[in-house]
Amino acid sequence: MHIFIYGGFMLLLLMHALDKYITVALWKDYYSTINPFMFLRDLFGALVIVGVLIAIYRRFILKVPRLFSNAMDIYTIIIVAIIMLSGIFLEATKMVAYSDYKRMVNEYSGLSDPGELKSLEAYWVKEFGVVSPNLKEPFDEALLQKGKELHQSSCESCHARPQWAFAGYGTAKIIAPIGLGIDRARLPRVLWFIHILACFAGLAYLPFSKMFHIFASSISLLANGVIGKGKLAPANRATLQAMELDACTHCGTCSLRCSVIMAFEEIANRNIFPSEKIASIKALASGKELGAQELKHIQEGVYLCSNCYRCTVVCPAGINLQDLWFSVRETLLQKGYPEFLVLSPLSFYRGLMKEETGPKDYEKPLIQAREAIAAQCDLMKRKDKVLPLTSTERKLQSGLNLSAQAKTFSVCFGCQTCTTVCPVVGNYENPQEALGLLPHQIMHAAGLGIRDLAFGSNMLWDCLTCYQCQEQCPQGVHVTDVLYELKNLAVKRMREKTLQPVERK
Amino acid sequence: MMEFALFLGCTIPARLNQYESSSRAVLEKLGVRLIDIREFNCCGYPLRNIDFKVFLLSSARNLALAEKKNLNVMALCKCCYGSLKKADYLLKENASLKEEVNTTLEKEGLKYEGRIEVKHLLPVLHKDIGLEAIKGKMATTFKGVKIATHYGCHALRPSQVVGFDDPVAPSLFDQLVEATGAESMEWAMKLECCGAPLWGINDRLSMDLTLKKLNDGKKSGADYVCAACPYCHIQFDKVQKMILSQRNVNHPLPSILYTQLLGLTMGIDRKVLGLEMNEIPIGGIEEKLKTEAELAAERELAQQKETKEETESNKA
């Protein structure tokens, strides 16, 4: 698709739009109406149209999963399509236009004899698709023969047979029945304006659209090609990243190959997809005022990444997306909105990169997430923790049903084997102080439906998921799975409280 | 010929290339054909803390992709292995869950029936290929190398789901290590967690657990800790290095990947094994490989012993 549009368009630009400067300089006998130029122009135009059709098919008919189309993609397709279609219609209407024919006869043929004019006109009506108000097919052989001779002497050197301009000629044949009307309405003139204006509109839109990638992608590819693996100075890195944002064509390759795509099925946040993340980051980088909700969504999107580098590897514009995510992630995390994803192993990568962030900046989001959760757990804040007998929350128990394994908490008989074998518990001299409830107590809390104590305990977030507890439980309680599901419920609750869905423009 | 869809996961291609290259080289020598499925995605492990469904769908999609090609899956990462196994188990056990997952997968024309098997590299080496076949491909063996063999939690437990080996007294990995001529040490914390799941979440706790484990390994007299999982290895390698500088501890216990250890005995090029890519150097282990002369002397000794036994049995 890309090669059709790019190849066709560039050749048209060089050979057709800039023909006076380039084509004429290369070929002295250039005329736009003789071969091979006439044929090639139509061929290139047809290539672009095929490319545009493929693009439309992919985006709107085939609906490739996870390929998103935003306004910019649609505008771009429309502009290219208008340029191409107006060009072909312009060519077609010029072919049928009688006034154009007349003008050329007056200017170039030097014929004045009515008989001669008639025979030439007949020949052009038959062979060149001109729609004449005076003459209609069929013509007799002699008249055509005469016309042919006149044509050979005065026109042929500049006019190849129109069939070579297959796209325009085909269209001309289709519109021939209304050919006279077209000419009277001076449609060729109108189309010429549309064609030229569309070209200028495209040119004006260029710096603000994905088409700017023509320049930015090549520069970014070049820059990333010469930059070694070593560290970049922060200022250079920022410059490079700003350039890379422009280099993105929103082609969607990254989103097709993204590792965490399935998250979108459950978490309705388009920023999970690299191609959409980058669109949001563009908005962010352009200094647009984004609301807290929007920022939180972008933050969640950039954090929900397994850091597999695949987007960076497959990006045809050579953008170092991984690096970009890292910078944006760290910047957003410092804005102070708690991000609960930091409490998942997705943070492993952040831990490996901790030398890139200062120690304070590094700890901040981790503390913030835990504090935000604890703040929602009123019971944890109470010193005496005397519980009313009626505080059981049935919702917690019924909520532990994701895998049907977590329900096993109900058979816990409190033997404390899980707590005894837990390496995390074993790491502390005073585990309750550091961890809050211990594993067997969390099972008990789940049984009683005391959500706050379960969610607010550090034990939940400090669980290694090493499955020692579950393996050794004499009652077959799936301790680790229960802890997993409690974490899910806690995050879900926090997400519902802090994150409202944002309508995407 | 044995065939597997190779499941690399996210960490190996991004951060541990030497595990991939050494595994491919070793498996090629052993005649295992690996098929790459480009569409594979994250196994879902890092997202289990956040959303069970995301985890399940992620794993299920991978399983469905492999099933479509009629291939069993081989994982190199134990967290990927544990996740894929868990998903496979749940989908086989719970029909309504399976239906729900398949409804989502159908949007891409995928479906999981549960016709394939998920395996980890180590059981493939031990059970499917066999110790004798592996020994047959060795050019030499180690002498006097002591290894602290690390099993990894998500491969061993929950045993009901993974069925990797005996969860209390596993021996599969020890046997594989001993097959290279190295000595697999007895150490108390052999089956404990490496600490990686908390790296980036609670670094202090993660460091405590890792150090405790590595110190125990050193106490057993081991020269190296050996893992077959990217998370465990990175924790023992890059993270250990970070811990050392932060906590002023000297004398690390370097980590070697099992495929590097095995690859060395098979005479695979050190570049392919990526020996230089480990953060804590392991190059010294190459000197512990038996030389040609030593091997010849050994063979002679074995022959002498054989003839001696023969004559003795003839006498009797």
Side-chain angles (χ1 to χ4, degrees):
Chain A
M1 178 202 81
H2 187 254
I3 194 78
F4 281 147
I5 297 182
Y6 173 75
F9 205 95
M10 284 323 263
L11 287 166
L12 277 177
L13 177 74
L14 297 175
M15 292 190 62
H16 168 59
L18 303 174
D19 56 358
K20 289 203 180 77
Y21 310 100
I22 295 173
T23 323
V24 171
L26 291 176
W27 292 277
K28 291 223 174 66
D29 51 356
Y30 169 74
Y31 271 108
S32 67
T33 47
I34 59 166
N35 272 329
F37 307 107
M38 191 164 83
F39 168 69
L40 285 178
R41 185 178 61 215
D42 269 47
L43 179 69
F44 299 151
L47 284 182
V48 179
I49 287 176
V50 169
V52 169
L53 286 177
I54 297 175
I56 293 174
Y57 177 71
R58 252 165 59 88
R59 283 188 185 270
F60 307 111
I61 297 166
L62 192 63
K63 291 213 172 96
V64 174
R66 296 181 272 277
L67 178 68
F68 300 99
S69 300
N70 59 22
M72 190 176 71
D73 302 319
I74 297 169
Y75 291 155
T76 308
I77 289 180
I78 290 176
I79 289 178
V80 174
I82 289 179
I83 294 175
M84 288 304 130
L85 291 177
S86 63
I88 287 178
F89 273 98
L90 173 59
E91 190 177 46
T93 51
K94 270 184 147 177
M95 280 182 193
V96 297
Y98 185 65
S99 54
D100 274 292
Y101 167 76
K102 273 296 238 211
R103 183 179 51 80
M104 283 194 291
V105 170
N106 287 338
E107 277 178 30
Y108 301 109
S109 71
L111 295 177
S112 52
D113 177 61
E116 283 184 334
L117 283 173
K118 188 182 169 196
S119 52
L120 182 64
E121 193 172 314
Y123 184 75
W124 270 67
V125 169
K126 175 130 186 8
E127 299 291 336
F128 283 74
V130 174
V131 177
S132 158
N134 320 317
L135 298 172
K136 276 217 166 62
E137 287 186 84
F139 307 109
D140 65 74
E141 270 309 308
L143 191 68
L144 287 175
Q145 193 51 43
K146 185 90 188 355
K148 191 177 178 185
E149 280 160 23
L150 286 166
H151 168 77
Q152 279 166 345
S153 66
S154 34
C155 317
E156 199 172 40
S157 58
C158 294
H159 278 283
R161 295 181 63 80
Q163 282 84 345
W164 283 104
F166 56 92
Y169 187 70
T171 317
K173 279 288 158 208
I174 295 168
I175 59 171
I178 52 162
L180 288 174
I182 287 171
D183 190 29
R184 242 172 266 133
R186 293 170 56 80
L187 212 55
R189 199 85 195 131
V190 176
L191 281 167
W192 184 82
F193 273 114
I194 295 177
H195 189 60
I196 296 295
L197 282 176
C199 289
F200 282 135
L203 196 62
Y205 187 44
L206 181 78
F208 311 103
S209 74
K210 67 193 254 173
M211 282 305 173
F212 193 61
H213 79 270
I214 301 167
F215 305 106
S217 296
S218 32
I219 296 177
S220 117
L221 275 170
L222 199 68
N224 278 315
V226 294
I227 289 167
K229 277 193 178 163
K231 269 191 198 164
L232 274 181
N236 291 341
R237 194 168 166 187
T239 314
L240 181 67
Q241 289 182 343
M243 209 158 62
E244 286 177 336
L245 282 177
D246 280 328
C248 171
T249 69
H250 200 244
C251 70
T253 309
C254 47
S255 291
L256 296 181
R257 299 290 316 281
C258 173
S259 278
V260 294
I261 41 177
M262 295 313 275
F264 185 65
E265 300 291 339
E266 293 293 319
I267 301 172
N269 183 351
R270 271 207 189 184
N271 290 303
I272 291 168
F273 295 104
S275 63
E276 306 312 293
K277 266 199 259 282
I278 210 162
S280 296
I281 293 171
K282 263 188 195 179
L284 195 68
S286 68
K288 211 165 123 190
E289 280 289 322
L290 295 178
Q293 287 301 327
E294 235 166 312
L295 286 174
K296 280 191 228 174
H297 272 88
I298 302 175
Q299 177 175 287
E300 184 182 64
V302 280
Y303 213 92
L304 218 166
C305 162
S306 67
N307 300 292
C308 68
Y309 291 13
R310 263 207 238 168
C311 52
T312 306
V313 172
V314 299
C315 177
I319 305 173
N320 190 340
L321 292 163
Q322 192 66 43
D323 227 24
L324 190 64
W325 308 150
F326 185 80
S327 305
V328 175
R329 195 180 295 151
E330 290 306 317
T331 314
L332 285 175
L333 283 174
Q334 298 308 321
K335 286 196 191 275
Y337 305 113
E339 178 53 62
F340 307 106
L341 288 169
V342 299
L343 298 174
S344 73
L346 290 175
S347 294
F348 188 70
Y349 180 72
R350 189 163 182 265
L352 293 178
M353 302 286 284
K354 74 198 267 190
E355 275 150 19
E356 305 255 320
T357 34
K360 244 197 189 160
D361 288 350
Y362 177 75
E363 291 293 340
K364 190 177 155 190
L366 294 167
I367 297 167
Q368 230 163 25
R370 288 200 196 216
E371 278 177 353
I373 293 170
Q376 297 285 336
C377 302
D378 296 328
L379 262 182
M380 286 308 276
K381 289 177 241 164
R382 285 233 304 267
K383 280 246 164 70
D384 51 2
K385 297 213 178 73
V386 177
L387 304 175
L389 286 169
T390 50
S391 80
T392 41
E393 201 185 317
R394 296 257 161 246
K395 248 168 90 187
L396 179 68
Q397 295 155 342
S398 59
L400 289 171
N401 63 352
L402 293 173
S403 66
Q405 312 237 316
K407 281 207 176 99
T408 49
F409 67 83
S410 57
V411 296
C412 168
F413 58 16
C415 71
Q416 303 191 21
T417 303
C418 48
T419 298
T420 317
V421 299
C422 175
V424 172
V425 173
N427 192 51
Y428 294 102
E429 271 187 31
N430 185 353
Q432 250 153 346
E433 187 189 50
L435 299 167
L437 296 193
L438 304 180
H440 74 281
Q441 292 167 326
I442 293 182
M443 296 305 112
H444 203 49
L448 291 173
I450 310 167
R451 188 182 55 196
D452 282 8
L453 291 188
F455 288 0
S457 291
N458 274 331
M459 181 68 236
L460 201 57
W461 309 104
D462 285 340
C463 167
L464 286 161
T465 71
C466 73
Y467 280 104
Q468 292 275 18
C469 48
Q470 184 161 329
E471 191 68 41
Q472 307 205 20
C473 176
Q475 274 292 87
V477 178
H478 289 244
V479 187
T480 315
D481 292 334
V482 175
L483 295 178
Y484 261 133
E485 292 206 8
L486 282 170
K487 282 182 264 191
N488 287 186
L489 289 176
V491 171
K492 199 174 162 209
R493 179 159 169 255
M494 295 306 294
R495 219 180 159 264
E496 277 165 7
K497 289 204 170 190
T498 57
L499 207 62
Q500 279 99 45
V502 175
E503 280 299 309
R504 257 183 89 98
K505 279 147 260 166
Chain B
M1 197 186 200
M2 227 180 282
E3 267 190 347
F4 287 101
L6 180 67
F7 191 83
L8 288 169
C10 302
T11 309
I12 297 170
R15 286 176 279 286
L16 202 61
N17 288 319
Q18 67 265 45
Y19 193 18
E20 180 182 347
S21 59
S22 57
S23 298
R24 284 188 195 274
V26 163
L27 289 166
E28 195 193 317
K29 282 238 170 188
L30 294 167
V32 178
R33 200 167 150 235
L34 299 174
I35 288 132
D36 291 289
I37 298 182
R38 261 164 51 107
E39 291 81 12
F40 273 156
N41 52 272
C42 167
C43 67
Y45 158 72
L47 287 155
R48 258 187 95 180
N49 270 11
I50 303 302
D51 195 307
F52 170 77
K53 282 278 164 58
V54 172
F55 143 69
L56 190 64
L57 280 170
S58 303
S59 264
R61 182 171 181 269
N62 294 319
L63 294 172
L65 283 165
E67 191 177 77
K68 200 174 170 185
K69 299 207 164 166
N70 253 323
L71 288 167
N72 287 334
V73 176
M74 177 168 71
L76 299 182
C77 169
K78 283 178 177 162
C79 298
C80 294
Y81 169 75
S83 297
L84 294 170
K85 270 286 198 190
K86 177 89 184 173
D88 182 52
Y89 179 85
L90 288 173
L91 293 174
K92 279 177 182 155
E93 187 198 59
N94 190 331
S96 68
L97 210 54
K98 182 168 143 189
E99 203 188 303
E100 200 188 320
V101 164
N102 276 336
T103 314
T104 309
L105 291 180
E106 219 190 289
K107 288 194 250 174
E108 287 183 82
L110 291 171
K111 193 176 183 187
Y112 186 57
E113 296 280 11
R115 281 186 280 112
I116 56 160
E117 248 188 289
V118 177
K119 294 187 179 187
H120 183 264
L121 165 76
L122 293 183
V124 167
L125 290 174
H126 187 268
K127 297 197 181 105
D128 300 49
I129 297 168
L131 292 176
E132 286 315 307
I134 294 173
K135 281 182 186 164
K137 296 283 176 192
M138 283 180 191
T140 174
T141 50
F142 288 104
K143 56 160 199 279
V145 173
K146 292 175 179 168
I147 299 281
T149 308
H150 167 76
Y151 273 84
C153 303
H154 294 144
L156 272 185
R157 297 180 289 265
S159 56
Q160 189 194 358
V161 171
V162 288
F164 182 87
D165 198 359
D166 182 337
V168 183
S171 62
L172 180 154
F173 198 5
D174 296 85
Q175 290 173 34
L176 282 168
V177 166
E178 304 231 301
T180 66
E183 186 185 349
S184 182
M185 308 308 285
E186 269 313 313
W187 54 315
M189 296 190 73
K190 185 161 143 185
L191 308 185
E192 293 293 320
C193 174
C194 62
L198 287 177
W199 187 248
I201 301 175
N202 185 344
D203 290 359
R204 200 171 305 146
L205 180 55
S206 175
M207 285 194 266
D208 284 348
L209 297 167
T210 306
L211 265 189
K212 228 190 267 183
K213 174 147 187 153
L214 290 172
N215 280 335
D216 187 58
K218 269 189 278 183
K219 224 166 61 191
S220 75
D223 309 311
Y224 300 91
V225 60
C226 181
C229 165
Y231 277 103
C232 303
H233 175 79
I234 292 175
Q235 187 75 6
F236 293 148
D237 192 40
K238 185 168 178 150
V239 175
Q240 185 184 185
K241 203 173 161 193
M242 288 163 89
I243 299 173
L244 294 179
S245 68
Q246 213 171 324
R247 295 209 169 169
N248 286 320
V249 187
N250 296 319
H251 310 300
L253 181 63
S255 174
I256 184 165
L257 286 159
Y258 181 66
T259 44
Q260 292 177 321
L261 191 75
L262 183 60
L264 280 170
T265 64
M266 289 177 166
I268 295 168
D269 185 59
R270 69 196 308 277
K271 263 202 187 136
V272 176
L273 298 176
L275 296 188
E276 298 296 330
M277 289 162 88
N278 288 21
E279 301 261 336
I280 299 173
I282 52 165
I285 199 166
E286 288 167 288
E287 287 153 28
K288 302 278 181 76
L289 285 166
K290 288 176 189 160
T291 58
E292 233 1 272
E294 283 171 315
L295 285 171
E298 217 170 67
R299 275 196 293 271
E300 206 172 306
L301 211 69
Q303 211 158 18
Q304 276 174 10
K305 205 172 150 195
E306 213 171 276
T307 40
K308 205 173 151 194
E309 269 169 17
E310 228 167 81
T311 43
E312 263 173 26
S313 64
N314 282 350
K315 267 185 204 167

